[in-house]
Amino acid sequence: IIEEGLFKNATSLVMHELPNSVTTIKTMAFENCNAEGFNEFTISDYVTYIGEAVFRGTDNLETLTLPFVGQQRGIDGETVDRNEMFGWVYGYVSGETNTNLSYSIEPALKNVTITSDTVIGAYAFSNADELLTVTITHTVTKLGEHAFAYNDKLTTVTFDESNGVCGITNIETGTFRDSVSLVMATLPTSVVTIEDYVFYNCISNPSFEVQNTVTSIGEYTFAFDEDHMESELTTVTFDETCQITAIEE
């Protein structure tokens, strides 16, 4: 166990990982560890509990690898409690709990990898304004609605299938909407349903391929509002064995 505040204010500490024996990291464990060399950190899959504000004030941390989003693995993702948000590890400040603007995420953070979660909950990465890339592994079987929505700088969400086939079958409402820098050419081949507004206002995506596993696409999925009509989308390709029978509103 890494106890509460164990390394708090250790401003010269340079550490990139913990022993595999660690299963619990309590609140504020690395708060204000802002040494220049404290720029990447990995929490292993052996960890089953992460307390709030563990990385608050780590203003040189650029790359973070976590086993799950929030407090623990596999939270159902239906509600939007603060312990289900990515911002949990940086600490809640004030405001609505379903936006990462209400948490003290440091602007230095650019890259996040989630290695063994099963659910990315609703709004989990929404409004994480400085993030550039997020990688999630094949263990994830559910993406909650608006999970990656409203991100100005997010360019890449990667579904890593190097160790197994992705289990996500449904892309829920607004998952990537208004992520205006996102470029995503396709989705995992496990996806069957794409719900409403999934890529709404994703103006930087030049093309998209719909695989033959997809049976339905919700309304306004590839649409743009009047403020985002100068989009780069030129091509949406449907596999020749496409199973879609209706084009929605």
Side-chain angles (χ1 to χ4, degrees):
I1 295 174
I2 302 298
E3 296 291 350
E4 179 176 329
L6 183 63
F7 300 104
K8 182 174 180 177
N9 297 330
T11 57
S12 297
L13 178 71
V14 176
M15 181 184 291
H16 300 301
E17 60 184 359
L18 293 167
N20 288 340
S21 56
V22 174
T23 59
T24 299
I25 304 173
K26 292 190 177 180
T27 302
M28 299 178 289
F30 295 97
E31 184 172 10
N32 296 330
C33 290
N34 54 13
E36 186 173 339
F38 198 94
N39 57 4
E40 60 180 289
F41 201 89
T42 297
I43 296 179
S44 80
D45 292 344
Y46 293 98
V47 171
T48 58
Y49 177 91
I50 300 175
E52 188 171 11
V54 164
F55 293 107
R56 177 184 284 155
T58 53
D59 54 15
N60 284 305
L61 186 60
E62 298 177 1
T63 300
L64 184 57
T65 300
L66 301 170
F68 45 82
V69 177
Q71 185 181 64
Q72 59 192 14
R73 185 181 287 106
I75 297 176
D76 64 28
E78 295 298 332
T79 58
V80 189
D81 296 323
R82 56 200 262 191
N83 67 345
E84 301 178 35
M85 295 290 290
F86 171 71
W88 169 260
V89 295
Y90 282 90
Y92 173 77
V93 180
S94 63
E96 297 180 359
T97 57
N98 67 344
T99 169
N100 282 292
L101 296 175
S102 299
Y103 301 79
S104 58
I105 300 173
E106 293 293 336
L109 186 71
K110 305 300 181 188
N111 311 296
V112 173
T113 298
I114 305 299
T115 57
S116 62
D117 212 344
T118 56
V119 176
I120 306 296
Y123 294 90
F125 284 95
S126 68
N127 297 108
D129 279 354
E130 299 299 321
L131 274 187
L132 299 180
T133 72
V134 177
T135 300
I136 59 176
T137 56
H138 71 282
T139 58
V140 173
T141 58
K142 177 181 174 64
L143 294 180
E145 64 178 52
H146 299 93
F148 297 96
Y150 311 114
N151 284 297
D152 289 343
K153 297 182 181 179
L154 183 67
T155 60
T156 307
V157 176
T158 301
F159 299 90
D160 182 3
E161 296 186 288
S162 59
N163 293 312
V165 177
C166 179
I168 297 169
T169 59
N170 183 41
I171 304 298
E172 295 198 10
T173 299
T175 297
F176 304 105
R177 71 166 295 169
D178 288 279
S179 289
V180 295
S181 298
L182 183 69
V183 176
M184 180 176 289
T186 190
L187 290 167
T189 55
S190 57
V191 173
V192 175
T193 304
I194 301 173
E195 293 190 4
D196 303 340
Y197 291 90
V198 166
F199 293 105
Y200 189 73
N201 287 337
C202 291
I203 59 174
S204 296
N205 207 28
S207 63
F208 190 85
E209 179 183 355
V210 180
Q211 305 103 316
N212 65 354
T213 55
V214 175
T215 60
S216 68
I217 300 177
E219 60 185 42
Y220 296 100
T221 289
F222 297 107
F224 307 93
D225 64 26
E226 291 183 357
D227 294 328
H228 296 86
M229 292 175 65
E230 297 299 321
S231 78
E232 296 184 22
L233 183 66
T234 60
T235 307
V236 175
T237 304
F238 294 87
D239 186 276
E240 60 182 14
T241 57
C242 175
Q243 302 180 60
I244 296 169
T245 58
I247 300 297
E248 296 290 345
E249 179 178 336

